[in-house]
Amino acid sequence: MMRRTFFLALMFGLGVEFSFSQRILTLNESIAIAQSESYSIQNANLTLTSQQKTLRAAKLGLLSTVDLSIDAPRHNRLLSPQFDPASQLTQFYQIGETRLEGRLSINQPLIVTNGTISILGSFFGRDQFSEIKGTNRDYLSNVSVQLVQPLFTPNSQQIQLHQAELNLDRAKGSYSKAHLDIVYNVTLAFYNLYRLTQGAEIASTDVKQREDSYNTAVNKFKAGVIPEVEMLKLEVELASSRNDLLNRLADLDAAKNSFKVLIGLQLEEQISVVSDSTVPAIAIDSAKAIREALANRVELKNADIDRQLREFDVITTNAQRSIKANLIANYGLSRNDDQVRDVFHDFNKTRSVILTLSLPIWDWGRNRTATEAAEANLKNAELSYANQEMQIKQDILDLLNRIRVANSRLEVTRKGEELAQKSYAISVERFKAGSIKSDELVQEQRRLTEAKINRLNALFDLRISLSDLTRKTFWDFEKNSPVQVVPTGEE
């Protein structure tokens, strides 16, 4: 009676997994939850948003900017030395100024030429104080158009914009990879949880079978058909089977908690998983798998982005000590008067042109060495790209081999389980008839349990390998269609 109660308690503990009060999840439902609630996807979303904003900021930086600054007021008072011709001495006089001034600038970058054209305007009114001349008030208005044009240098505006675009491409790739990694990781955890659930069911069935065998042995011992040692052997096997079931239930509970953390559920929520135990026949073209992987793998795209960024490093580093020129041209109108109404007409024209040349003479070879370092980094990026390409090909070929082996194992283990089930049923009847001993029955029970676990592991390996192939090729071979991950947020 106690043994029966123990078995029912274990079955209840396992049966809770399938209780209507729990949340029963399929693989697709688990993936959908993870793609909206998990830490990984939220991190990927924020990273992508950051790069989208960075690129948008770079593009907005090519538009006009308007800035206004105001001194309201600017006041100073100090002693100023002045030479007195009459006394032939330097005398100190107190002077001061109170100024109210506003400055307005409108700047427009010129991405084609890497220059900047600006409209600059200012207006101020001031009171000047001097012990010699007393207080004087005047006003000044000024407006000018200014062009600042670097010459003989790389176009830094275009380079910065292109770098921002490359960084956004990298973020989009990381976003897509994060989505597929989540699908794979959730698939891995889901089928592991499913495997543990099925393993606990198999262990529970094993306990039931061993309990039936033990009860049969007890009855046969009481009838004097078998010796006590035969009954004790089966009792030991029953205890071992119960202990295995307890361990499997503990592992199952731990796996559930890990799964809930992974997909973003609360630990208090009760869940169980259900899945189809069959796998459809899938035709996989190895050449297509390699082609899709090379076209879509984020690692290869990032290697190409690194190569382009290193090219920019070579250009900018080499330009640091090249001949440079800076052209500044200015044309303006200004007027100064002691009456505010008179500073807005009859302007005086101002104009200036400055061409500044910078000629590097000697730096002990520092720039040349820095350029060589940048060129070495570029060559390393090119080698990394080629190596990444080879590794992707090898990775896909190894994965396809794993899938072929897993397919073969699944078929072999399925047949093995069928044969083990038939053999066990025959052994049970033979044990009841007394034609075999308990050792042989125990052996058949072990074979059946092992066959079930082997088939479950083969199914697990095949499912995980197929999911791994999807994330590494961006192609779903079960549906024979590409995997599309559309980034969210602004461009």
Side-chain angles (χ1 to χ4, degrees), residues 161-213:
L161 178 60
H162 194 37
Q163 286 174 331
E165 291 172 342
L166 289 175
N167 287 327
L168 177 59
D169 288 341
R170 188 199 299 273
K172 286 181 177 179
S174 298
Y175 178 87
S176 299
K177 185 176 184 298
H179 267 271
L180 292 183
D181 283 345
I182 287 172
V183 172
Y184 172 77
N185 291 331
V186 171
T187 301
L188 179 65
F190 179 89
Y191 280 111
N192 182 58
L193 184 57
Y194 176 75
R195 179 172 59 173
L196 291 174
T197 302
Q198 294 298 306
E201 283 191 349
I202 292 171
S204 176
T205 301
D206 185 68
V207 169
K208 179 63 171 61
Q209 290 172 343
R210 293 181 188 277
E211 189 172 72
D212 291 342
S213 298

Side-chain angles (χ1 to χ4, degrees), residues 311-324:
E311 289 175 351
F312 288 137
D313 289 343
V314 172
I315 294 171
T316 55
T317 302
N318 185 57
Q320 289 176 2
R321 292 288 293 175
S322 63
I323 297 176
K324 301 183 183 71

